[in-house]
Amino acid sequence: MTAAPDFSLFPQAPAATQFPAMPEGADAVLDGLDPEQREVATALHGPVCVLAGAGTGKTRAITHRIAYGVRAGILQPASVLAVTFTARAAGEMRGRLRQLGAGGVQARTFHSAALRQLQFFWPKAVGGEVPRLLERKVQFVAEAAARCRIRLDRSELRDVTAEIEWSKVTQTVPADYPAAVVKAGRQAPRDPAEIGQIYGTYEQLKRDRGAIDFEDVLLLTVGVLQDRQDIAEQVRAQYQHFVVDEYQDVSPLQQRLLELWLGDRDSLCVVGDASQTIYSFTGATPDHLLDFRTRHPHATVVRLVRDYRSTPQVVHLANGLLTQARGRAAEHRLELVSQRPAGPEPAYVEYADEPAEAEGTARRIRDLIASGVPAGEIAVLFRINAQSEVYEQALADAGVPYQLRGAERFFERPEVREAGVKLRGAARFGGNDALLDDAVGLPSEVRAVLSDMGWTSEPPAGSGAVRDRWESLAALVRLAEEFAAARPGATLADLVAELDERAAAQHAPAVEGVTLASLHAAKGLEWDAVFLVGLTEGMMPITYAKTDEQLEEERRLLYVGVTRARRHLALSWSLARSPGGRAVRRPSRFLGGLRPGSGPTAGRRAPGGAAGGIERGGAAPGAGASRRRDRRPARCRVCNKTLTDAGEMKLMRCEDCPSEMNEALYERLRDWRAQQAARTRQPAYCVFTDKTLMAISEAVPGTEAELAGISGVGRRKLDRYGADVLALCAGEELVDVPEEASEGAAENSSEK
């Protein structure tokens, strides 16, 4: 019998340096890969489909696959084209391939690869110069709408532009747009006929002015390869092996381009996860991934499910989200298995209003930073960008540095450009620069140059522009330190060359600040601690998600957010928008059965402890008596310390251990208790003690059995008050019963 492999031999934690040592040979490239990743890396012939769950090391697997093929002499670097979906991801892939000794491989986005081919072949295929490329199409769309005498406000302009982009990647012409919208079950932001008219006018405007947009780059490249067999053969002679990352996000137009690149060959490796399809509004579809085996019956299929990113607690919650999913993508979901040690349970926190949620999140972040978690390893993720403002203010008030994801690119920041000029000058004329007289070694030289721009060893107080500038310079200093540690003897000129390569690839160094980002912008990233905020109905799922497919995509979007967290995960929502507002909001339906007290599936922790933070007791009916007979010592459910104080035993935790009490529910219960006490003319504690109300507010029971399991809730009180308490826990409003009503009616009333 073969012994089970020791997976501790496969280190998968994030690398401590951005510049690891280059493997000595082809076999060394395979070191550290687990069995499934090694299978991917060595499957170099024929079609290969890698179904890779979040955090399972897919980028590691495919970059090592390319590098192994190159280092073993099986693949020629110039014949490989690796395609992904963002410039950042392509830059990261090129960087990894360089470090693995496969620096000549092309790693690009679909648009970048197509644009290079279009520019090269345009004179031969069409003649003249390539039309001007529009960086932003909004101005042309606005002018097209004006020509059609259609008024669009700013949000409508953005939405109509998105509809035009969707039409082009799905290869829908203006005249067919209204019918295509109906067929796709898509909700158009305006009358489809109007959008079709604007779309047609927009296309005419571009032709009149000799301009093309990014979608045209793909369309024109497809057209050239379809019409000119000689050019198609020239491209296929250049690129003979293809790797496509994030294959679940391929649009029909991108799939067509890929087919033209391939021709009748099958040297293709695709990597994806249908459960992370979150861009269908741009035309992306997981069908190409799910149908890969149908198109390539002899394909090698490898499933990566070992999650090296997240703790068992985070993975348990992520798996739980998908168990409730429906549809074709859900049928092909991957059950992740965490490879990391246990961590803290995910926290579920309810707040009275949005400012309170932001302030509470900022406090928790400040505490995490104080405990040693770097600010750059923390993220706050929300559904739409408009939610960021209140968190920017709360973090600034708390003195916590932050950065907006999707805002200005790192290498386009004025201070980074200025630093590049100064470092380049120092590299060229450093011998005559007084700043470098006392500097010894590359990091010291960089610190000396940047200190002239305001960098100091300690960050400035507060936030704002000064702090942002310092953070950018500090990121360059850290990069220089890691570069020097990995490349002893490296010079300023070497560092400048490295920065130039990174700028071209948009491969920015890490900036030490909490990341604020939308869930869509967070795709492909990860942090030690993630705060998922604003998880209310109407925001998650978003209010305009109506169809089953749209709702399932919203669930997948939350799944992507959850799987960004390595260790710490908090999910929060607020009951009202502003202080004093009506508490009419409800937590996201996607948390049902996962958050404490939200349903029958939120039961006891499964063996092994990976329960996603849902243990809140779950005693069977009548458990009160059995609890009284239980002579085992009571232990704190947070720190496991033996409890002796009666109040602590009621709460099942130490007085000073962290509480996840639902404060809004606690206040509602106190108000309700006061009414009950007044009607029955008895002290409030005779209804329920404060400690019992606190225990209820922490457990948020959803059934009689769960309520009965709380100390202080006996059978008599369960019969008398249980219906009211459970209704309040469910967020329902109770109809006030007049004081003159009989006591019996009051006891049995549970009308809402």
Side-chain angles (χ1 to χ4, degrees), residues 455 515 600 719:
W455 178 84
T515 298
D719 292 341

Side-chain angles (χ1 to χ4, degrees), residues 267-291:
S267 187
L268 170 66
C269 173
V270 300
V271 189
D273 178 10
S275 296
Q276 296 187 67
T277 306
I278 58 173
Y279 296 110
S280 68
F281 60 90
T282 68
T285 170
D287 289 346
H288 304 300
L289 175 67
L290 299 178
D291 293 338

Side-chain angles (χ1 to χ4, degrees), residues 12 51 123 142 235 267 385 458 472 638 652 662 746 750:
Q12 302 289 329
L51 302 175
V235 171
S267 187
N385 288 319
E458 294 295 327
S472 297
V638 179
M652 292 304 293
N662 183 325
S750 61

Side-chain angles (χ1 to χ4, degrees), residues 80-102:
V80 180
L81 178 59
V83 188
T84 188
F85 281 79
T86 66
R88 179 195 60 78
E92 180 184 340
M93 188 177 290
R94 285 198 295 272
R96 291 199 191 193
L97 289 169
R98 258 193 311 133
Q99 292 159 3
L100 292 169

